[in-house]
Amino acid sequence: MPGTVLLLAASPMGKGRLVDAASVLPVLAAVAPAVLSGTDTANVVELADPLDPQAVLTRLRAAAAAPGPLTVFVTGQLQLDRRQRLPHLALARTTPATVRYTALPWHWVREELRLRPSGATTLVVDLHADAETWEHLHGTPLDSGRNNAVFGRIAPPPSRRQVASPSYMKAVATLLRSGSRPPLERLHEQALARIADEGAHRDLVLASSGRHGAADPHAEISAAVRAGRHADADALAARHEEAAVRAYGPASEDALHWAEVRADLAMFAGDPARSCRTWLTVASARLAAGQPPEAPAVEAAVDRAHHQWGRIDDTARARELGPALAELRLRVPGRTQGALDHVQQHLRQLQTQG
């Protein structure tokens, strides 16, 4: 099965830049796609200093939907948003004051990859952190998802008025240009050895295989989706959701996780109305449990409900779900400007249709 490779290199323009992230792309691009992926053939998507987090999300979502192995190479810098103090990958237009709206929330990466089976996804990262984020990460490690292999490093901020080089990723690319791809654990160790004399001993080293064995229910569900057995996938997720409700309650993270999985499965099955309704239920449950409107999981649920609502062809079903979405959008405006206006305008159009 062909692999997919996403090359993402991003850092702010101007004085906020900590690392020259895009300088690694010519070195990575010189590596054969099959070597980057570790498969016989591979599709490579390159994002160089992207401007818009939504555009990055679209590419990430498409890569995550590919059935074969996925390798994501990420080079850039991490910053915290001022409201929630959550790590974001800074993009070209990011400034400390605009992180929430111009950077890619790292939890979006985790969310988009969460339905992929164990062992199917690898993240290779070379990240630099500003001083505030560096301190934050020592108490709260970067969460890249339990099923994903993650190798790389997070480096502290460089000296003042200096722009760092993504030396770890360049070492990885140089090693791969030999034409062979050693096991990732060994490739990671070799890359670290190459940059040892650069003070890399201060880095936060990331090394996780992400393998949780065949008992992982997500792997079985993903296999059913890939085989087109959407009803079987939903039935399996429903059993796990029911078990979580019995064990921990309907508002528990375990139960809500499986509800979210079922919302995604409805999307994969081509049923946007069911997906939208499920995301609306998840968002309402999180708010009812006391989670704030700006919480990442709440925002994600409303954003996904909104996205699926826009894909409903049945006018009556779209009209039925619209008011609930509009009510949630009042409480959870999200990061996209004009989202509430879009819902209200579309609802008015639906009311004039038969």
Side-chain angles (χ1 to χ4, degrees):
M1 190 174 290
T4 300
V5 176
L6 180 61
L7 306 178
L8 171 56
S11 52
M13 298 174 181
K15 62 180 182 180
R17 174 172 291 200
L18 300 179
V19 58
D20 184 11
S23 66
V24 79
L25 287 175
V27 194
L28 281 170
V31 180
V35 177
L36 285 173
S37 176
T39 56
D40 290 339
T41 59
N43 302 308
V44 178
V45 178
E46 182 177 307
L47 293 174
D49 278 329
L51 300 174
D52 179 22
Q54 292 291 336
V56 179
L57 178 63
T58 298
R59 295 297 184 90
L60 178 63
R61 186 167 287 165
L70 170 63
T71 308
V72 184
F73 294 86
V74 185
T75 309
Q77 69 189 59
L78 294 175
Q79 294 177 223
L80 300 179
D81 71 299
R82 289 181 172 174
R83 184 186 297 185
Q84 296 172 274
R85 293 181 55 76
L86 292 172
H88 289 58
L89 181 71
L91 302 183
R93 294 186 295 202
T94 301
T95 67
T98 65
V99 170
R100 179 170 165 78
Y101 301 102
T102 62
L104 180 78
W106 192 259
H107 60 265
W108 284 8
V109 177
R110 182 193 68 221
E111 286 293 309
E112 291 305 319
L113 301 177
R114 67 195 166 94
L115 262 190
R116 292 181 58 81
S118 295
T121 309
T122 301
L123 291 164
V124 181
V125 304
D126 188 351
L127 300 168
H128 282 69
D130 64 11
E132 183 182 24
T133 310
W134 181 249
E135 182 179 345
H136 172 85
L137 290 171
H138 279 80
T140 309
L142 195 66
D143 183 358
S144 302
R146 62 184 297 275
N147 287 339
N148 308 318
V150 184
F151 294 96
R153 60 94 180 248
I154 304 173
S159 303
R160 283 185 74 120
R161 293 185 294 277
Q162 279 194 338
V163 176
S165 169
S167 53
Y168 171 85
M169 194 67 79
K170 286 184 176 178
V172 167
T174 301
L175 288 162
L176 291 176
R177 283 183 68 179
S178 68
S180 65
R181 190 186 202 249
L184 284 165
E185 291 87 348
R186 192 183 314 155
L187 176 66
H188 170 66
E189 291 168 0
Q190 291 172 348
L192 288 178
R194 287 198 172 207
I195 63 171
D197 60 350
E198 299 179 16
H201 59 277
R202 297 177 56 212
D203 296 347
L204 291 173
V205 175
L206 308 175
S208 169
S209 67
R211 298 188 190 96
H212 294 275
D216 178 14
H218 298 83
E220 190 176 350
I221 290 169
S222 296
V225 171
R226 289 197 301 275
R229 295 185 288 107
H230 297 288
D232 291 346
D234 183 66
L236 183 57
R239 289 201 295 274
H240 285 284
E241 183 184 9
E242 290 163 6
V245 168
R246 286 196 304 270
Y248 309 111
S252 65
E253 275 302 317
D254 281 63
L256 291 172
H257 165 74
W258 286 108
E260 291 173 346
V261 168
R262 296 187 71 194
D264 280 337
L265 292 175
M267 174 190 68
F268 293 139
D271 190 345
R274 178 159 56 93
S275 182
C276 175
R277 181 178 285 108
T278 307
W279 281 119
L280 291 173
T281 301
V282 169
S284 298
R286 290 191 177 280
L287 289 168
Q291 296 184 24
E294 66 273 14
V298 176
E299 281 188 347
V302 178
D303 287 347
R304 291 179 177 203
H306 191 161
H307 181 259
Q308 291 299 297
W309 183 64
R311 293 176 173 266
I312 299 172
D313 294 329
D314 186 321
T315 301
R317 298 186 80 182
R319 223 172 11 222
E320 171 198 345
L321 293 168
L325 176 60
E327 184 180 336
L328 274 173
R329 267 294 179 219
L330 275 170
R331 299 179 64 186
V332 188
R335 298 163 185 253
T336 306
Q337 291 186 344
L340 175 60
D341 291 340
H342 173 266
V343 174
Q344 293 172 334
Q345 180 183 355
H346 190 42
L347 256 181
R348 286 192 293 269
Q349 292 173 346
L350 290 168
Q351 300 302 340
T352 63
Q353 297 175 16

mmCIF file of all heavy atoms in Angstrom, residues 104-136:
data_model
loop_
_atom_site.group_PDB
_atom_site.id
_atom_site.type_symbol
_atom_site.label_atom_id
_atom_site.label_comp_id
_atom_site.label_asym_id
_atom_site.label_seq_id
_atom_site.Cartn_x
_atom_site.Cartn_y
_atom_site.Cartn_z
ATOM 1 N N LEU A 104 -1.199 27.054 14.345
ATOM 2 C CA LEU A 104 -1.894 25.764 14.314
ATOM 3 C C LEU A 104 -1.878 25.150 15.711
ATOM 4 O O LEU A 104 -0.803 24.817 16.228
ATOM 5 C CB LEU A 104 -1.189 24.824 13.334
ATOM 6 C CG LEU A 104 -1.816 23.428 13.198
ATOM 7 C CD1 LEU A 104 -3.050 23.488 12.310
ATOM 8 C CD2 LEU A 104 -0.805 22.427 12.640
ATOM 9 N N PRO A 105 -3.038 24.998 16.357
ATOM 10 C CA PRO A 105 -3.057 24.353 17.682
ATOM 11 C C PRO A 105 -2.500 22.931 17.584
ATOM 12 O O PRO A 105 -2.920 22.169 16.720
ATOM 13 C CB PRO A 105 -4.550 24.348 18.056
ATOM 14 C CG PRO A 105 -5.184 25.377 17.171
ATOM 15 C CD PRO A 105 -4.395 25.366 15.895
ATOM 16 N N TRP A 106 -1.571 22.592 18.461
ATOM 17 C CA TRP A 106 -0.972 21.261 18.376
ATOM 18 C C TRP A 106 -2.004 20.175 18.619
ATOM 19 O O TRP A 106 -1.899 19.067 18.068
ATOM 20 C CB TRP A 106 0.193 21.142 19.361
ATOM 21 C CG TRP A 106 1.002 19.906 19.107
ATOM 22 C CD1 TRP A 106 0.953 18.724 19.787
ATOM 23 C CD2 TRP A 106 1.950 19.714 18.041
ATOM 24 N NE1 TRP A 106 1.825 17.811 19.232
ATOM 25 C CE2 TRP A 106 2.456 18.392 18.156
ATOM 26 C CE3 TRP A 106 2.443 20.529 17.020
ATOM 27 C CZ2 TRP A 106 3.405 17.888 17.286
ATOM 28 C CZ3 TRP A 106 3.383 20.015 16.151
ATOM 29 C CH2 TRP A 106 3.849 18.699 16.292
ATOM 30 N N HIS A 107 -3.036 20.479 19.403
ATOM 31 C CA HIS A 107 -4.047 19.441 19.654
ATOM 32 C C HIS A 107 -4.859 19.132 18.394
ATOM 33 O O HIS A 107 -5.496 18.088 18.310
ATOM 34 C CB HIS A 107 -4.972 19.820 20.825
ATOM 35 C CG HIS A 107 -5.751 21.083 20.648
ATOM 36 N ND1 HIS A 107 -5.315 22.288 21.137
ATOM 37 C CD2 HIS A 107 -6.927 21.331 20.039
ATOM 38 C CE1 HIS A 107 -6.204 23.230 20.847
ATOM 39 N NE2 HIS A 107 -7.185 22.670 20.181
ATOM 40 N N TRP A 108 -4.833 20.001 17.388
ATOM 41 C CA TRP A 108 -5.465 19.655 16.114
ATOM 42 C C TRP A 108 -4.727 18.489 15.465
ATOM 43 O O TRP A 108 -5.355 17.630 14.840
ATOM 44 C CB TRP A 108 -5.454 20.856 15.167
ATOM 45 C CG TRP A 108 -6.465 21.912 15.480
ATOM 46 C CD1 TRP A 108 -7.274 21.989 16.582
ATOM 47 C CD2 TRP A 108 -6.781 23.059 14.667
ATOM 48 N NE1 TRP A 108 -8.055 23.119 16.510
ATOM 49 C CE2 TRP A 108 -7.781 23.787 15.362
ATOM 50 C CE3 TRP A 108 -6.311 23.525 13.462
ATOM 51 C CZ2 TRP A 108 -8.316 24.980 14.839
ATOM 52 C CZ3 TRP A 108 -6.834 24.705 12.941
ATOM 53 C CH2 TRP A 108 -7.836 25.418 13.627
ATOM 54 N N VAL A 109 -3.414 18.466 15.596
ATOM 55 C CA VAL A 109 -2.627 17.354 15.051
ATOM 56 C C VAL A 109 -3.065 16.054 15.717
ATOM 57 O O VAL A 109 -3.348 15.046 15.051
ATOM 58 C CB VAL A 109 -1.121 17.603 15.256
ATOM 59 C CG1 VAL A 109 -0.307 16.412 14.757
ATOM 60 C CG2 VAL A 109 -0.683 18.893 14.564
ATOM 61 N N ARG A 110 -3.117 16.076 17.043
ATOM 62 C CA ARG A 110 -3.532 14.879 17.787
ATOM 63 C C ARG A 110 -4.944 14.438 17.380
ATOM 64 O O ARG A 110 -5.201 13.254 17.159
ATOM 65 C CB ARG A 110 -3.486 15.194 19.286
ATOM 66 C CG ARG A 110 -3.858 14.022 20.188
ATOM 67 C CD ARG A 110 -4.094 14.516 21.605
ATOM 68 N NE ARG A 110 -5.288 15.354 21.680
ATOM 69 C CZ ARG A 110 -5.377 16.475 22.395
ATOM 70 N NH1 ARG A 110 -4.355 16.914 23.091
ATOM 71 N NH2 ARG A 110 -6.499 17.172 22.405
ATOM 72 N N GLU A 111 -5.871 15.399 17.276
ATOM 73 C CA GLU A 111 -7.258 15.068 16.970
ATOM 74 C C GLU A 111 -7.408 14.458 15.575
ATOM 75 O O GLU A 111 -8.154 13.500 15.389
ATOM 76 C CB GLU A 111 -8.130 16.330 17.075
ATOM 77 C CG GLU A 111 -8.398 16.773 18.494
ATOM 78 C CD GLU A 111 -9.257 15.781 19.240
ATOM 79 O OE1 GLU A 111 -10.319 15.380 18.727
ATOM 80 O OE2 GLU A 111 -8.862 15.365 20.351
ATOM 81 N N GLU A 112 -6.711 15.018 14.592
ATOM 82 C CA GLU A 112 -6.863 14.529 13.228
ATOM 83 C C GLU A 112 -6.283 13.123 13.052
ATOM 84 O O GLU A 112 -6.708 12.383 12.171
ATOM 85 C CB GLU A 112 -6.201 15.498 12.235
ATOM 86 C CG GLU A 112 -6.909 16.826 12.116
ATOM 87 C CD GLU A 112 -8.381 16.695 11.769
ATOM 88 O OE1 GLU A 112 -8.740 15.848 10.920
ATOM 89 O OE2 GLU A 112 -9.199 17.437 12.353
ATOM 90 N N LEU A 113 -5.331 12.759 13.893
ATOM 91 C CA LEU A 113 -4.659 11.460 13.738
ATOM 92 C C LEU A 113 -5.231 10.385 14.656
ATOM 93 O O LEU A 113 -4.818 9.225 14.575
ATOM 94 C CB LEU A 113 -3.157 11.615 14.029
ATOM 95 C CG LEU A 113 -2.402 12.609 13.144
ATOM 96 C CD1 LEU A 113 -0.941 12.696 13.596
ATOM 97 C CD2 LEU A 113 -2.482 12.223 11.673
ATOM 98 N N ARG A 114 -6.216 10.725 15.484
ATOM 99 C CA ARG A 114 -6.586 9.815 16.576
ATOM 100 C C ARG A 114 -7.296 8.547 16.112
ATOM 101 O O ARG A 114 -7.284 7.543 16.818
ATOM 102 C CB ARG A 114 -7.441 10.538 17.613
ATOM 103 C CG ARG A 114 -8.799 10.952 17.137
ATOM 104 C CD ARG A 114 -9.418 11.971 18.094
ATOM 105 N NE ARG A 114 -10.561 12.600 17.479
ATOM 106 C CZ ARG A 114 -11.799 12.182 17.643
ATOM 107 N NH1 ARG A 114 -12.036 11.138 18.411
ATOM 108 N NH2 ARG A 114 -12.800 12.784 17.054
ATOM 109 N N LEU A 115 -7.929 8.554 14.940
ATOM 110 C CA LEU A 115 -8.626 7.350 14.486
ATOM 111 C C LEU A 115 -7.732 6.421 13.680
ATOM 112 O O LEU A 115 -8.151 5.343 13.289
ATOM 113 C CB LEU A 115 -9.838 7.729 13.629
ATOM 114 C CG LEU A 115 -11.194 7.732 14.331
ATOM 115 C CD1 LEU A 115 -12.312 7.884 13.320
ATOM 116 C CD2 LEU A 115 -11.408 6.484 15.166
ATOM 117 N N ARG A 116 -6.503 6.838 13.434
ATOM 118 C CA ARG A 116 -5.597 5.971 12.686
ATOM 119 C C ARG A 116 -5.115 4.830 13.594
ATOM 120 O O ARG A 116 -4.929 5.022 14.794
ATOM 121 C CB ARG A 116 -4.413 6.774 12.153
ATOM 122 C CG ARG A 116 -4.830 7.780 11.068
ATOM 123 C CD ARG A 116 -3.630 8.538 10.537
ATOM 124 N NE ARG A 116 -2.617 7.640 9.996
ATOM 125 C CZ ARG A 116 -2.642 7.093 8.778
ATOM 126 N NH1 ARG A 116 -3.640 7.373 7.953
ATOM 127 N NH2 ARG A 116 -1.683 6.285 8.377
ATOM 128 N N PRO A 117 -4.915 3.642 13.048
ATOM 129 C CA PRO A 117 -4.519 2.506 13.889
ATOM 130 C C PRO A 117 -3.106 2.651 14.428
ATOM 131 O O PRO A 117 -2.275 3.385 13.881
ATOM 132 C CB PRO A 117 -4.627 1.310 12.938
ATOM 133 C CG PRO A 117 -4.519 1.890 11.572
ATOM 134 C CD PRO A 117 -5.129 3.258 11.645
ATOM 135 N N SER A 118 -2.839 1.955 15.526
ATOM 136 C CA SER A 118 -1.500 1.966 16.109
ATOM 137 C C SER A 118 -0.480 1.488 15.087
ATOM 138 O O SER A 118 -0.724 0.537 14.344
ATOM 139 C CB SER A 118 -1.440 1.046 17.334
ATOM 140 O OG SER A 118 -2.262 1.531 18.360
ATOM 141 N N GLY A 119 0.659 2.164 15.045
ATOM 142 C CA GLY A 119 1.729 1.761 14.155
ATOM 143 C C GLY A 119 1.616 2.286 12.738
ATOM 144 O O GLY A 119 2.516 2.066 11.927
ATOM 145 N N ALA A 120 0.525 3.011 12.417
ATOM 146 C CA ALA A 120 0.331 3.488 11.043
ATOM 147 C C ALA A 120 0.789 4.926 10.851
ATOM 148 O O ALA A 120 0.819 5.409 9.721
ATOM 149 C CB ALA A 120 -1.143 3.369 10.651
ATOM 150 N N THR A 121 1.136 5.615 11.933
ATOM 151 C CA THR A 121 1.450 7.042 11.845
ATOM 152 C C THR A 121 2.737 7.341 12.591
ATOM 153 O O THR A 121 2.924 6.905 13.731
ATOM 154 C CB THR A 121 0.316 7.890 12.455
ATOM 155 O OG1 THR A 121 -0.934 7.469 11.886
ATOM 156 C CG2 THR A 121 0.535 9.369 12.193
ATOM 157 N N THR A 122 3.607 8.111 11.939
ATOM 158 C CA THR A 122 4.861 8.530 12.560
ATOM 159 C C THR A 122 5.014 10.034 12.439
ATOM 160 O O THR A 122 4.818 10.601 11.355
ATOM 161 C CB THR A 122 6.065 7.853 11.875
ATOM 162 O OG1 THR A 122 5.919 6.429 11.970
ATOM 163 C CG2 THR A 122 7.370 8.280 12.525
ATOM 164 N N LEU A 123 5.351 10.676 13.532
ATOM 165 C CA LEU A 123 5.694 12.091 13.549
ATOM 166 C C LEU A 123 7.194 12.213 13.785
ATOM 167 O O LEU A 123 7.715 11.650 14.752
ATOM 168 C CB LEU A 123 4.943 12.825 14.663
ATOM 169 C CG LEU A 123 3.426 12.978 14.503
ATOM 170 C CD1 LEU A 123 2.804 13.361 15.834
ATOM 171 C CD2 LEU A 123 3.095 14.019 13.466
ATOM 172 N N VAL A 124 7.871 12.929 12.898
ATOM 173 C CA VAL A 124 9.289 13.255 13.096
ATOM 174 C C VAL A 124 9.341 14.768 13.262
ATOM 175 O O VAL A 124 8.952 15.500 12.349
ATOM 176 C CB VAL A 124 10.147 12.796 11.908
ATOM 177 C CG1 VAL A 124 11.617 13.124 12.161
ATOM 178 C CG2 VAL A 124 9.971 11.302 11.661
ATOM 179 N N VAL A 125 9.782 15.244 14.421
ATOM 180 C CA VAL A 125 9.647 16.669 14.723
ATOM 181 C C VAL A 125 10.981 17.285 15.132
ATOM 182 O O VAL A 125 11.795 16.660 15.813
ATOM 183 C CB VAL A 125 8.593 16.913 15.832
ATOM 184 C CG1 VAL A 125 7.249 16.319 15.439
ATOM 185 C CG2 VAL A 125 9.033 16.334 17.162
ATOM 186 N N ASP A 126 11.169 18.520 14.687
ATOM 187 C CA ASP A 126 12.298 19.343 15.132
ATOM 188 C C ASP A 126 11.702 20.702 15.471
ATOM 189 O O ASP A 126 11.433 21.521 14.584
ATOM 190 C CB ASP A 126 13.347 19.462 14.027
ATOM 191 C CG ASP A 126 14.620 20.152 14.519
ATOM 192 O OD1 ASP A 126 14.611 20.687 15.651
ATOM 193 O OD2 ASP A 126 15.626 20.161 13.767
ATOM 194 N N LEU A 127 11.458 20.915 16.750
ATOM 195 C CA LEU A 127 10.728 22.094 17.201
ATOM 196 C C LEU A 127 11.587 22.927 18.144
ATOM 197 O O LEU A 127 12.333 22.380 18.963
ATOM 198 C CB LEU A 127 9.437 21.679 17.918
ATOM 199 C CG LEU A 127 8.445 20.856 17.073
ATOM 200 C CD1 LEU A 127 7.368 20.262 17.969
ATOM 201 C CD2 LEU A 127 7.826 21.713 15.973
ATOM 202 N N HIS A 128 11.455 24.231 18.043
ATOM 203 C CA HIS A 128 12.056 25.156 18.996
ATOM 204 C C HIS A 128 10.922 25.831 19.777
ATOM 205 O O HIS A 128 9.842 26.073 19.234
ATOM 206 C CB HIS A 128 12.906 26.203 18.285
ATOM 207 C CG HIS A 128 14.248 25.674 17.850
ATOM 208 N ND1 HIS A 128 14.365 24.743 16.839
ATOM 209 C CD2 HIS A 128 15.500 25.936 18.291
ATOM 210 C CE1 HIS A 128 15.657 24.448 16.679
ATOM 211 N NE2 HIS A 128 16.363 25.152 17.538
ATOM 212 N N ALA A 129 11.158 26.101 21.025
ATOM 213 C CA ALA A 129 10.143 26.717 21.874
ATOM 214 C C ALA A 129 10.630 28.075 22.359
ATOM 215 O O ALA A 129 11.831 28.245 22.627
ATOM 216 C CB ALA A 129 9.834 25.815 23.072
ATOM 217 N N ASP A 130 9.707 29.022 22.470
ATOM 218 C CA ASP A 130 10.088 30.283 23.109
ATOM 219 C C ASP A 130 10.196 30.054 24.612
ATOM 220 O O ASP A 130 9.871 28.970 25.126
ATOM 221 C CB ASP A 130 9.116 31.415 22.747
ATOM 222 C CG ASP A 130 7.693 31.183 23.254
ATOM 223 O OD1 ASP A 130 7.468 30.264 24.064
ATOM 224 O OD2 ASP A 130 6.796 31.947 22.833
ATOM 225 N N ALA A 131 10.646 31.045 25.340
ATOM 226 C CA ALA A 131 10.959 30.852 26.764
ATOM 227 C C ALA A 131 9.738 30.415 27.567
ATOM 228 O O ALA A 131 9.811 29.504 28.405
ATOM 229 C CB ALA A 131 11.536 32.151 27.338
ATOM 230 N N GLU A 132 8.585 31.025 27.285
ATOM 231 C CA GLU A 132 7.365 30.694 28.026
ATOM 232 C C GLU A 132 6.929 29.262 27.740
ATOM 233 O O GLU A 132 6.575 28.505 28.656
ATOM 234 C CB GLU A 132 6.260 31.679 27.629
ATOM 235 C CG GLU A 132 4.963 31.482 28.393
ATOM 236 C CD GLU A 132 3.876 32.439 27.930
ATOM 237 O OE1 GLU A 132 3.948 32.913 26.766
ATOM 238 O OE2 GLU A 132 2.949 32.706 28.715
ATOM 239 N N THR A 133 6.975 28.874 26.479
ATOM 240 C CA THR A 133 6.564 27.522 26.100
ATOM 241 C C THR A 133 7.556 26.483 26.624
ATOM 242 O O THR A 133 7.167 25.392 27.056
ATOM 243 C CB THR A 133 6.447 27.418 24.569
ATOM 244 O OG1 THR A 133 5.660 28.507 24.080
ATOM 245 C CG2 THR A 133 5.804 26.109 24.157
ATOM 246 N N TRP A 134 8.831 26.833 26.606
ATOM 247 C CA TRP A 134 9.869 25.925 27.102
ATOM 248 C C TRP A 134 9.612 25.588 28.570
ATOM 249 O O TRP A 134 9.679 24.416 28.974
ATOM 250 C CB TRP A 134 11.233 26.582 26.916
ATOM 251 C CG TRP A 134 12.406 25.771 27.366
ATOM 252 C CD1 TRP A 134 13.225 26.036 28.433
ATOM 253 C CD2 TRP A 134 12.914 24.564 26.775
ATOM 254 N NE1 TRP A 134 14.197 25.077 28.535
ATOM 255 C CE2 TRP A 134 14.033 24.161 27.527
ATOM 256 C CE3 TRP A 134 12.522 23.800 25.679
ATOM 257 C CZ2 TRP A 134 14.770 23.024 27.226
ATOM 258 C CZ3 TRP A 134 13.260 22.654 25.377
ATOM 259 C CH2 TRP A 134 14.367 22.284 26.144
ATOM 260 N N GLU A 135 9.282 26.582 29.343
ATOM 261 C CA GLU A 135 8.983 26.347 30.764
ATOM 262 C C GLU A 135 7.712 25.516 30.912
ATOM 263 O O GLU A 135 7.642 24.586 31.726
ATOM 264 C CB GLU A 135 8.819 27.693 31.474
ATOM 265 C CG GLU A 135 8.565 27.570 32.965
ATOM 266 C CD GLU A 135 8.434 28.933 33.637
ATOM 267 O OE1 GLU A 135 8.807 29.949 33.025
ATOM 268 O OE2 GLU A 135 7.943 28.967 34.780
ATOM 269 N N HIS A 136 6.706 25.815 30.114
ATOM 270 C CA HIS A 136 5.429 25.089 30.165
ATOM 271 C C HIS A 136 5.620 23.605 29.859
ATOM 272 O O HIS A 136 5.035 22.736 30.520
ATOM 273 C CB HIS A 136 4.457 25.729 29.170
ATOM 274 C CG HIS A 136 3.182 24.971 28.970
ATOM 275 N ND1 HIS A 136 2.086 25.113 29.793
ATOM 276 C CD2 HIS A 136 2.816 24.037 28.025
ATOM 277 C CE1 HIS A 136 1.110 24.325 29.383
ATOM 278 N NE2 HIS A 136 1.537 23.666 28.313
#
